[in-house]
């Protein structure tokens, strides 16, 4: 099987590379923004044709949530129109597609874990462009699998866990939001789940949710990071209103994972177990 992975230098792309680098059954091509510039939509299909993939894992995205508020054109190119080009390529060439989306397609007003059928209503540009990307994929490549995830972290790249580890070594006290609720996703776990789908005898198209098990706030997450690493740092809970950002965040975006577990037999580790596994790893810079 010949696989193209976009967003190769991102957290998920890097974890997939680690899992697939010694796999002799899969011929994998990891494309970063230099090899596949997602903001140059006019050349995307031409570049994909060079690789003639059997499957595309589209993990590339414009993920600078706050910057997207002012850079709406680029965010739309990367998160929406690039998805449209990739989906059109997949339809024309009968290529399978797995695309990664986000909990930010929801408005955060729910009080229960969100299923794939929950109404979408994004409250920031990032979420709006990601939802438009989902819709373009479903229009042009209805046989695609779309996986929404949340609060992604890894030993690779920039993320909340690595930022907290740095701050807690530099400061005696950190303030962390306690009224945004969801569940983190260890990118390694998501990568394992993707490979299980790829290797499954079934290909059941549609939208799926994946994050680690559990329901926490960012404050709870920070406290666990401190305790795992035994940092001597006080973590103070603050409301979202005390930390204004250009982009609004959903207050509640816990994802219901029942569907992906039922259809593909996916194992979903508890967030604390996965956090411990990640913190046992050596941090990587890319």
């Amino acid at each position: 099987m010949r696989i193209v992975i976009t967003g190769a230098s991102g957290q998920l792309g890097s974890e997939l590379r680690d899992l697939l680098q010694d796999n002799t059954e899969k011929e994998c091509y990891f494309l970063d923004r230099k090899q596949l510039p997602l903001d140059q939509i006019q050349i995307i299909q031409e570049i994909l044709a060079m690789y003639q993939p059997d499957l595309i894992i589209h993990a590339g995205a414009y993920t600078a949530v706050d910057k997207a508020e002012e850079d709406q054109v680029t965010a739309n190119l990367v998160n929406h129109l690039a998805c449209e080009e990739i989906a059109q390529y997949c339809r024309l060439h009968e290529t399978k597609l797995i695309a990664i989306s986000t909990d930010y397609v929801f408005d955060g007003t729910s009080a229960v874990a969100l299923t794939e059928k929950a109404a979408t209503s994004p409250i920031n540009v990032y979420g709006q462009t990601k939802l438009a990307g989902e819709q373009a994929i479903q229009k042009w490549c209805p046989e695609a699998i779309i996986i929404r995830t949340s609060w992604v972290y890894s030993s690779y790249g920039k993320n909340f866990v690595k930022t907290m580890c740095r701050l807690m070594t530099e400061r005696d006290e950190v303030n962390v939001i306690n009224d945004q609720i969801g569940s983190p996703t260890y990118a390694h776990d998501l990568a394992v789940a993707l490979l299980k789908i790829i290797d499954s005898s079934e290909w059941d198209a549609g939208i799926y949710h994946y994050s680690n098990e559990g329901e926490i706030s960012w404050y709870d997450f920070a406290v666990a990071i401190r305790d795992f690493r035994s940092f001597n740092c006080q973590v103070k809970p603050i409301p979202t209103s005390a930390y204004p950002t250009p982009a609004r965040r959903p207050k509640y975006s816990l994802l219901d994972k029942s569907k992906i577990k039922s259809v593909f037999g996916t194992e979903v580790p508890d967030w604390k177990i996965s956090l411990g596994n990640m913190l046992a790893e050596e941090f990587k810079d890319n």
Side-chain angles (χ1 to χ4, degrees), residues 84-286:
E84 188 167 57
E85 293 295 322
I86 292 170
Q88 288 177 351
Y89 175 89
C90 290
R91 181 172 182 171
L92 286 169
H93 299 275
E94 297 184 349
T95 301
K96 290 182 176 179
L97 174 61
I98 299 177
I100 307 302
S101 191
T102 174
D103 61 317
Y104 278 37
V105 300
F106 299 110
D107 63 10
T109 60
S110 176
V112 296
L114 294 149
T115 71
E116 292 79 2
K117 294 180 179 180
T120 54
S121 182
I123 58 175
N124 57 43
V125 171
Y126 170 69
Q128 291 162 4
T129 58
K130 289 294 288 184
L131 179 59
E134 285 188 11
Q135 293 166 343
I137 289 169
Q138 291 188 301
K139 174 183 176 181
W140 292 105
C141 186
E143 290 304 307
I145 288 174
I146 297 170
I147 299 180
R148 295 176 182 146
T149 190
S150 63
W151 301 16
V152 178
Y153 70 95
S154 166
S155 57
Y156 291 97
K158 296 178 181 178
N159 55 67
F160 181 82
V161 176
K162 293 171 73 172
T163 296
M164 284 295 108
C165 286
R166 176 178 58 80
L167 291 177
M168 288 178 187
T169 60
E170 299 172 352
R171 303 180 185 179
D172 296 326
E173 180 180 294
V174 294
N175 298 328
V176 184
I177 291 169
N178 71 340
D179 59 355
Q180 292 177 20
I181 305 300
S183 185
T185 304
Y186 182 24
H188 172 83
D189 294 342
L190 178 55
V192 170
L194 293 180
L195 297 188
K196 185 175 181 64
I197 291 172
I198 292 169
D199 292 334
S200 172
S201 58
E202 299 294 325
W203 182 272
D204 200 333
I207 296 175
Y208 294 85
H209 288 172
Y210 185 94
S211 66
N212 286 123
E213 294 285 20
E215 178 177 345
I216 61 170
S217 68
W218 289 107
Y219 167 77
D220 298 325
F221 200 17
V223 169
I225 294 165
R226 180 198 64 189
D227 293 347
F228 268 116
R229 280 290 178 94
S230 300
F231 289 123
N232 186 21
C233 179
Q234 184 180 3
V235 183
K236 293 184 64 177
I238 61 170
T240 298
S241 58
Y243 188 72
T245 56
R248 294 170 60 203
R249 266 67 170 177
K251 284 289 192 76
Y252 187 96
S253 60
L254 182 66
L255 301 175
D256 186 308
K257 278 78 69 172
S258 301
K259 182 179 176 183
I260 198 167
K261 290 190 284 188
S262 173
V263 174
F264 294 110
T266 306
E267 294 183 8
V268 183
D270 182 83
W271 72 270
K272 276 195 173 182
I273 294 173
S274 294
L275 176 61
N277 290 339
M278 181 271 191
L279 289 174
E281 293 278 320
E282 180 180 346
F283 289 178
K284 288 94 170 179
D285 291 332
N286 65 314

